[in-house]
Amino acid sequence: MDYEIVTLEEKIVVGISARTNNTSPDMGAVIGGLWKRFYNEGIYASIPDKKSGKALGIYTEYTGNEKADYTTIVACETEREPQEGQYTVYRIPAGKYAKFVIYGDMVQAVAAAWQEIWQMDLPRAFQCDFEEYQSDAMDHAEIHIYVGLKEGNKDFIESRCGILCKECTYRGQGCTGCIHIQKPFWADNCPIKTCCEERQYEHCGQCEEFPCALLKQFAYDKEQGDNGKRIEQCRDWKKKSGLAKL
């Protein structure tokens, strides 16, 4: 499932909340109950100073363990915090997020997307994730899912092999960079990307076999190579990031 990395400013959100976890038998009832209360009890209508009116489903205060408790909030973004105290007020932290855009049934499409997200090797911060519902359409909904990411090494690492995406001729031709997509747009797989991710390295420079024969083959290819420039880039990333794995 493809995504893009975005940087968000802090958001003030106002709504109602509850505690649950993904393995609880009443998890669906807890979250569904919040949504029913949010609209049926007039909570959404009573929230002042709405910024966009879009509904948000927020997940926070969890450890990263899929079985652990977390707080879920149904809310909307506001210009400022309300003075009354009957709401849950939360500030979605500024920072980097993986943004997924999904379409389909409002309930089923979101559930399927989260199942896939939990299986992905994202550098998740586990501080705040949220869904932003673009309308109230149930059957043909558009939902944006934002997954909070750790700050740090991901800011400068652009690929597995050392290619700089901002200098690549394929930029803007359907490729968002191999660290952001499951498979390259030009083939079913890339052997360097596959090798690096199977070993759980951010880039080739972190591998004990660097620079291996496979990387050299690509780096010095007569047609697609860069005369070893990507190898030097991996060396530079290694100096900055050390040997930390994904």
Side-chain angles (χ1 to χ4, degrees):
M1 186 163 59
D2 292 345
Y3 61 91
E4 63 173 322
I5 303 297
V6 298
T7 301
L8 301 182
E9 297 181 353
E10 182 182 75
K11 298 176 182 291
I12 300 171
V13 298
V14 178
I16 54 177
S17 63
R19 291 285 286 178
T20 187
N21 69 68
N22 290 342
T23 61
S24 173
D26 65 348
M27 183 265 289
V30 170
I31 296 177
L34 283 179
W35 283 101
K36 289 180 180 178
R37 286 182 54 210
F38 190 63
Y39 286 107
N40 295 347
E41 296 182 10
I43 295 171
Y44 171 83
S46 69
I47 294 174
D49 302 316
K50 297 183 187 68
K51 193 167 185 177
S52 70
K54 296 177 182 178
L56 304 175
I58 303 158
Y59 310 96
T60 186
E61 297 179 9
Y62 52 5
T63 63
N65 184 337
E66 191 173 2
K67 298 180 181 180
D69 285 354
Y70 56 85
T71 296
T72 179
I73 308 168
V74 175
C76 59
E77 185 179 2
T78 63
E79 296 286 352
R80 59 190 62 83
E81 293 188 13
Q83 295 182 352
E84 296 85 358
Q86 70 266 36
Y87 308 104
T88 294
V89 179
Y90 179 70
R91 290 178 178 265
I92 293 176
K96 291 190 180 296
Y97 291 78
K99 178 184 177 181
F100 300 81
V101 179
I102 60 173
Y103 303 91
D105 179 88
M106 188 176 286
V107 176
Q108 295 178 4
V110 169
W114 276 114
Q115 287 182 356
E116 192 166 346
I117 289 170
W118 273 99
Q119 301 303 314
M120 298 175 71
D121 289 326
L122 291 170
R124 296 177 63 179
F126 292 110
Q127 181 180 8
C128 176
D129 305 322
F130 67 98
E131 305 146 2
E132 182 182 68
Y133 294 83
Q134 304 305 299
S135 70
D136 59 359
M138 289 296 297
D139 297 332
H140 304 287
E142 177 181 341
I143 307 103
H144 299 175
I145 297 179
Y146 294 85
V147 178
L149 302 177
K150 294 178 181 178
E151 299 287 351
N153 294 342
K154 296 296 180 180
D155 291 346
F156 59 83
I157 294 171
E158 297 184 45
S159 68
R160 302 303 183 200
C161 70
I163 287 178
L164 293 178
C165 295
K166 57 180 174 287
E167 299 177 6
C168 182
T169 57
Y170 291 111
R171 183 180 177 91
Q173 299 183 34
C175 182
T176 57
C178 68
I179 68 172
H180 301 146
I181 55 179
Q182 289 184 302
K183 66 177 184 178
F185 74 96
W186 45 267
D188 288 335
N189 65 79
C190 169
I192 292 182
K193 172 179 168 66
T194 299
C195 177
C196 200
E197 292 175 352
E198 284 181 349
R199 297 184 182 210
Q200 296 187 313
Y201 286 118
E202 292 177 329
H203 59 84
C204 291
Q206 295 176 326
C207 181
E208 58 271 18
E209 297 178 25
F210 171 82
C212 69
L214 179 62
L215 180 60
K216 290 179 179 178
Q217 177 185 338
F218 278 77
Y220 294 101
D221 181 82
K222 292 183 179 180
E223 295 184 1
Q224 300 294 332
D226 53 14
N227 199 32
K229 183 178 179 180
R230 72 191 68 183
I231 294 176
E232 294 306 313
Q233 184 61 59
C234 281
R235 285 198 176 99
D236 183 59
W237 286 344
K238 181 179 178 180
K239 292 178 183 178
K240 294 178 181 178
S241 64
L243 292 174
K245 289 192 174 185
L246 288 169

